[in-house]
Amino acid sequence: MKNIYLLLLLLPFMALGQTTYICVNSGDWATVTGATPTWNPSGTIPSWNDTVVIPSGFTVTQGSSIRECSKLIIESGGTLNNYGAVEVAYRAVNNGTWIGHGACEFIGTSGDTVLEGGGTCTNSGNWIFFGPRTGGSVMIGPTVRAIKASGILYLETAAWHLPVRVLNFGYIQLTDGEVQPLNGSPAAAVSWVQEANSTLLFDGNGSFPVVATGDTLVASATGNTVTESQVNGSFTLIKPATDYYNLIVSANNLTYTTTYPGTFNIDGSITIGGNLNFAGNNMNVGGNWIYNKGNLTNINTINFNGSAAQNIQGTLSTTFKNITISGTGNVALQDNTSFTGVLTLSSTGSLNGPAKMTLVSNSGATGMVAQSTGTINATFVIQVYDGRTNPSYQALSTPVQTDKLNDWNASNQPSPATPSGYFYMSGIGGVNGNAGSFVSVDKFLEASNTYSPITNFASPGINYNLVQGEGLYIWVANTFNSMSPFTYITNGVPNQGDAMTKSVTHNSSGWNLIGNPFPCPISWSSFHSHNASLGNTFYIYKESQTWVPFTFGSNIAMEQGFLVTATANTSVSFLESDKTLTATNLLAPGDPTRSDNSVTFTLSEDSNTLSCPTTIIFGGGYSPAYTFNEDNLYIPSIAKKVPVLVTYSSDNKNLIVNRLPDGATQVDVPMSATCNVPAKYTLSTNNIPNLSSYQCVCLIDSKTGAVLNNFSDNSIYTFIATEKGQEFDYIVRFTRLEPGQSCSGNLLTKGNSMQLNSADGSVVQANSPDGNYTIIPTQYGAAINFNFPQAEDVIVSAYNMLGQKVINDIHTSVSESRLDVALPQTAGIYTVRVVTSAGATVKKIYR
């Protein structure tokens, strides 16, 4: 190398002889005399300005010295086997066999340096491509197939050369080799350009590292392929100047990871055969996605933006995060695929089979199909995760076209891979058979306000055709009476577009059970904006087996059935623009009990998990009479054992959300509790601190006027129902306190002597409503001194400030006696509550 540098420095413009040396005897490059000289003409060794020709049938072996020529021509059947360095100044044409154990150097004295020909070219030594002196590039011809077994391919820029630029039109394979800049002084950027239909393959431990600022790989020409096929270890895939056309990333084992430093742009196809770490970056793919081997980590959005047909294929099923189809071409699923995030068709392209796409749902998140302009023709396996632990009814709807009830039943049966549970159905002719006379699927009939078994309708039972936009009541459990979290599935082509409508009626109450038809949450605000015939509120059938109202700002989950109130016989429409990407869990679109200046009462019983809430909201503009778009009517549950808790408007409507004016100092709200099984019941409150208009909330027996509980001090009230359907009528009294006032008995009960608080607001003693007992603090908790004229049954309870019981309820009969109540020794505020036939008394105990 140094000899060449020196020669070029001393004789840069020297006119040299231009002789063509033709091999006439197989032998060493330097054998030019004797009986069998290698070259004709003989006598001299070819120099760097000469042409060397190795014809068919001859083999030239080059030893350890440096040999050079201007042109090297190896004809078909000819062989060059070099162990030292061979330097070509202008052009090498190899149609025979070139085996390079030593260095092969392309000097680039002027213009382009060319390597071409279709012969065998293998090399285990270094290749060195110099930049040209007067312009041009190192050009690798389209028929070249050159394989480097090891060593380094240097891109060298010497002081008297221009920056090197390699134009690859052929096939270059670097096995255990790498491409590296070898800059002279001053250093200059180098580049490698993949031309149309060319190949650059790195295998073994080959690589193309970026060393100097400005070093570039250009790989966007049509049909060219860059292949990274390293054996092991960690490798950073070089980012090209613009895009890749075809990229192949593969490995012989799964121990290495390719990490790409930025956004992928693949104009053609990508083939993955090894671990690929996307580092959270996106990828645009204009051709096929082929996934054969390895793990995909930190994947983000894959955008298929081609203008022609594209395939998702491979021997492995890809689990995408987000998928976007923005091109005008169609994307075909040739192998089963899944996604965990968002699928969007933002152009006129389509997503087609023949394989299936799975929308993944789990405890962490659920995939969704966003607002789209393209078309989905592929069959989806749509998963919905249900994290409940109690069997119950749910209102559900189908997100796919042409589906039957049998699909929900049969497709969710247990298998060896998922033995934990499935979608249980009874009495409809499915695989589960019958649990007595129980029919586990019902429709809601607006005209009669009743629930009717699915067996009463056309194509009855298991063959019932699911209707887009219709909601059904379905008993969701793993068995008839058990439930654990699991994922159920729906099979079919997803619903999409703006053509879906669902008829609603107003023959009776106007209540209609409809359902979200999209595999994506929808915004109630958006849906309501173009369906003005509906009331402002929708209802979700919660796990507590009661209908709970929601309003603007709430979303409706995928496959969620929901109840609306129609004002006329009409149709509602579902639009792509109704979709929202806000994650919304089934049965939990929000919390309607958290309105400002409101309080929610919940009635529950000890024998099951069923409950019923009712909410009272105060505001300046509300009416005490029932108002359609203010208040929410109580809707009966399909479950017969659910307790009923309602308040009444001034015109005697049963309400579960009651909006009232807050101008009065005291407001009495009638409340009714219906207990559908004999049991112990609890009436609890939440959000009392958020009630800004009134500081005192008490429960009063509507028959006797006795104060049963002060909810401002004690958030729960318990009572016992001894028979099915027993009804308890109350008054909930809300009182606004003036400065210096306390929540006292005479204020609450209009003359009752019950004293709950002292003048300064601190609890010092609580007397019973009838004066027959007192509650006082003691060292260990509290003492209750009874003074009844005859035996009386009492219940004593104690709670912490979170409303949690701290002792077991004491049920006893007393007359004249003392009862000591031991409270926890932990410092805090506790509430002791005594219930007798005359009412209830509470006292705060400070420890």
Side-chain angles (χ1 to χ4, degrees), residues 61 114 143 166 185 357 411 436 443 638 709 742 745 762 806 817:
T61 302
V114 180
T143 61
V166 178
S185 180
M357 173 71 78
S411 65
K443 294 182 68 172
I638 191 174
N709 191 54
S742 63
S762 64
V806 295
S817 60

PDB file of all heavy atoms in Angstrom, residues 61 114 143 166 185 357 411 436 443 638 709 742 745 762 806 817:
ATOM      1  N   THR A  61      -1.604 -17.855  -9.561  1.00  0.00           N
ATOM      2  CA  THR A  61      -1.481 -17.764  -8.104  1.00  0.00           C
ATOM      3  C   THR A  61      -0.611 -16.572  -7.772  1.00  0.00           C
ATOM      4  O   THR A  61       0.490 -16.442  -8.299  1.00  0.00           O
ATOM      5  CB  THR A  61      -0.878 -19.039  -7.518  1.00  0.00           C
ATOM      6  OG1 THR A  61      -1.706 -20.155  -7.875  1.00  0.00           O
ATOM      7  CG2 THR A  61      -0.780 -18.951  -6.010  1.00  0.00           C
ATOM      8  N   VAL A 114     -14.527  -0.243 -11.666  1.00  0.00           N
ATOM      9  CA  VAL A 114     -15.632  -1.141 -11.933  1.00  0.00           C
ATOM     10  C   VAL A 114     -15.250  -2.572 -11.578  1.00  0.00           C
ATOM     11  O   VAL A 114     -14.154  -3.043 -11.944  1.00  0.00           O
ATOM     12  CB  VAL A 114     -16.059  -1.069 -13.409  1.00  0.00           C
ATOM     13  CG1 VAL A 114     -17.221  -2.023 -13.677  1.00  0.00           C
ATOM     14  CG2 VAL A 114     -16.444   0.352 -13.780  1.00  0.00           C
ATOM     15  N   THR A 143     -24.238  -8.191 -12.532  1.00  0.00           N
ATOM     16  CA  THR A 143     -24.086  -9.656 -12.559  1.00  0.00           C
ATOM     17  C   THR A 143     -23.100 -10.169 -11.519  1.00  0.00           C
ATOM     18  O   THR A 143     -22.898 -11.369 -11.402  1.00  0.00           O
ATOM     19  CB  THR A 143     -23.633 -10.113 -13.955  1.00  0.00           C
ATOM     20  OG1 THR A 143     -22.365  -9.512 -14.264  1.00  0.00           O
ATOM     21  CG2 THR A 143     -24.662  -9.734 -15.008  1.00  0.00           C
ATOM     22  N   VAL A 166     -19.571   3.972  -3.202  1.00  0.00           N
ATOM     23  CA  VAL A 166     -19.741   2.665  -3.824  1.00  0.00           C
ATOM     24  C   VAL A 166     -21.158   2.571  -4.380  1.00  0.00           C
ATOM     25  O   VAL A 166     -22.135   2.820  -3.663  1.00  0.00           O
ATOM     26  CB  VAL A 166     -19.499   1.522  -2.815  1.00  0.00           C
ATOM     27  CG1 VAL A 166     -19.720   0.165  -3.476  1.00  0.00           C
ATOM     28  CG2 VAL A 166     -18.105   1.624  -2.232  1.00  0.00           C
ATOM     29  N   SER A 185      -6.240  11.688   5.768  1.00  0.00           N
ATOM     30  CA  SER A 185      -6.194  12.991   6.427  1.00  0.00           C
ATOM     31  C   SER A 185      -6.311  14.074   5.357  1.00  0.00           C
ATOM     32  O   SER A 185      -5.489  14.119   4.428  1.00  0.00           O
ATOM     33  CB  SER A 185      -4.883  13.154   7.196  1.00  0.00           C
ATOM     34  OG  SER A 185      -4.840  14.414   7.822  1.00  0.00           O
ATOM     35  N   MET A 357     -57.612 -12.080  12.065  1.00  0.00           N
ATOM     36  CA  MET A 357     -56.991 -11.078  12.921  1.00  0.00           C
ATOM     37  C   MET A 357     -57.625 -11.163  14.306  1.00  0.00           C
ATOM     38  O   MET A 357     -58.851 -11.182  14.425  1.00  0.00           O
ATOM     39  CB  MET A 357     -57.190  -9.674  12.349  1.00  0.00           C
ATOM     40  CG  MET A 357     -56.720  -8.544  13.252  1.00  0.00           C
ATOM     41  SD  MET A 357     -54.916  -8.452  13.396  1.00  0.00           S
ATOM     42  CE  MET A 357     -54.514  -7.646  11.832  1.00  0.00           C
ATOM     43  N   SER A 411     -67.980 -20.790  20.786  1.00  0.00           N
ATOM     44  CA  SER A 411     -66.586 -20.368  20.605  1.00  0.00           C
ATOM     45  C   SER A 411     -65.883 -20.091  21.911  1.00  0.00           C
ATOM     46  O   SER A 411     -64.665 -19.926  21.934  1.00  0.00           O
ATOM     47  CB  SER A 411     -66.541 -19.108  19.729  1.00  0.00           C
ATOM     48  OG  SER A 411     -67.159 -18.026  20.391  1.00  0.00           O
ATOM     49  N   GLY A 436     -82.124 -26.501  35.053  1.00  0.00           N
ATOM     50  CA  GLY A 436     -83.548 -26.451  35.377  1.00  0.00           C
ATOM     51  C   GLY A 436     -84.311 -25.780  34.255  1.00  0.00           C
ATOM     52  O   GLY A 436     -84.116 -26.075  33.074  1.00  0.00           O
ATOM     53  N   LYS A 443     -84.375 -10.663  26.107  1.00  0.00           N
ATOM     54  CA  LYS A 443     -84.525  -9.359  25.478  1.00  0.00           C
ATOM     55  C   LYS A 443     -85.394  -8.482  26.380  1.00  0.00           C
ATOM     56  O   LYS A 443     -86.148  -8.990  27.206  1.00  0.00           O
ATOM     57  CB  LYS A 443     -85.165  -9.492  24.097  1.00  0.00           C
ATOM     58  CG  LYS A 443     -84.312 -10.230  23.081  1.00  0.00           C
ATOM     59  CD  LYS A 443     -84.991 -10.295  21.722  1.00  0.00           C
ATOM     60  CE  LYS A 443     -85.087  -8.927  21.083  1.00  0.00           C
ATOM     61  NZ  LYS A 443     -85.573  -8.997  19.679  1.00  0.00           N
ATOM     62  N   ILE A 638     -83.541  -7.294  36.044  1.00  0.00           N
ATOM     63  CA  ILE A 638     -83.972  -8.621  35.619  1.00  0.00           C
ATOM     64  C   ILE A 638     -83.787  -9.630  36.752  1.00  0.00           C
ATOM     65  O   ILE A 638     -84.447 -10.662  36.799  1.00  0.00           O
ATOM     66  CB  ILE A 638     -83.196  -9.071  34.365  1.00  0.00           C
ATOM     67  CG1 ILE A 638     -83.840 -10.327  33.767  1.00  0.00           C
ATOM     68  CG2 ILE A 638     -81.737  -9.297  34.673  1.00  0.00           C
ATOM     69  CD1 ILE A 638     -83.222 -10.735  32.451  1.00  0.00           C
ATOM     70  N   ASN A 709     -80.794   7.829  61.864  1.00  0.00           N
ATOM     71  CA  ASN A 709     -79.342   7.927  61.682  1.00  0.00           C
ATOM     72  C   ASN A 709     -78.981   9.335  61.235  1.00  0.00           C
ATOM     73  O   ASN A 709     -79.721   9.980  60.482  1.00  0.00           O
ATOM     74  CB  ASN A 709     -78.855   6.930  60.626  1.00  0.00           C
ATOM     75  CG  ASN A 709     -77.337   6.821  60.597  1.00  0.00           C
ATOM     76  OD1 ASN A 709     -76.706   6.569  61.624  1.00  0.00           O
ATOM     77  ND2 ASN A 709     -76.747   7.000  59.429  1.00  0.00           N
ATOM     78  N   SER A 742     -75.470  23.530  65.233  1.00  0.00           N
ATOM     79  CA  SER A 742     -74.942  22.178  65.125  1.00  0.00           C
ATOM     80  C   SER A 742     -76.053  21.259  64.653  1.00  0.00           C
ATOM     81  O   SER A 742     -77.219  21.641  64.605  1.00  0.00           O
ATOM     82  CB  SER A 742     -74.397  21.712  66.480  1.00  0.00           C
ATOM     83  OG  SER A 742     -75.453  21.660  67.428  1.00  0.00           O
ATOM     84  N   GLY A 745     -80.609  17.578  67.839  1.00  0.00           N
ATOM     85  CA  GLY A 745     -81.864  16.858  67.772  1.00  0.00           C
ATOM     86  C   GLY A 745     -83.049  17.754  67.504  1.00  0.00           C
ATOM     87  O   GLY A 745     -83.916  17.435  66.707  1.00  0.00           O
ATOM     88  N   SER A 762     -68.664  19.398  69.526  1.00  0.00           N
ATOM     89  CA  SER A 762     -68.026  18.186  70.023  1.00  0.00           C
ATOM     90  C   SER A 762     -69.050  17.278  70.672  1.00  0.00           C
ATOM     91  O   SER A 762     -69.972  17.738  71.325  1.00  0.00           O
ATOM     92  CB  SER A 762     -66.924  18.540  71.038  1.00  0.00           C
ATOM     93  OG  SER A 762     -67.503  19.163  72.156  1.00  0.00           O
ATOM     94  N   VAL A 806     -65.887  -2.171  63.579  1.00  0.00           N
ATOM     95  CA  VAL A 806     -64.717  -2.514  64.398  1.00  0.00           C
ATOM     96  C   VAL A 806     -65.071  -3.540  65.476  1.00  0.00           C
ATOM     97  O   VAL A 806     -64.184  -4.029  66.181  1.00  0.00           O
ATOM     98  CB  VAL A 806     -64.092  -1.259  65.036  1.00  0.00           C
ATOM     99  CG1 VAL A 806     -63.533  -0.345  63.949  1.00  0.00           C
ATOM    100  CG2 VAL A 806     -65.111  -0.504  65.890  1.00  0.00           C
ATOM    101  N   SER A 817     -79.626  -1.899  83.130  1.00  0.00           N
ATOM    102  CA  SER A 817     -78.293  -2.525  83.165  1.00  0.00           C
ATOM    103  C   SER A 817     -77.299  -1.629  82.452  1.00  0.00           C
ATOM    104  O   SER A 817     -77.666  -0.619  81.844  1.00  0.00           O
ATOM    105  CB  SER A 817     -78.337  -3.908  82.495  1.00  0.00           C
ATOM    106  OG  SER A 817     -78.732  -3.792  81.149  1.00  0.00           O
TER     107      SER A 817
END
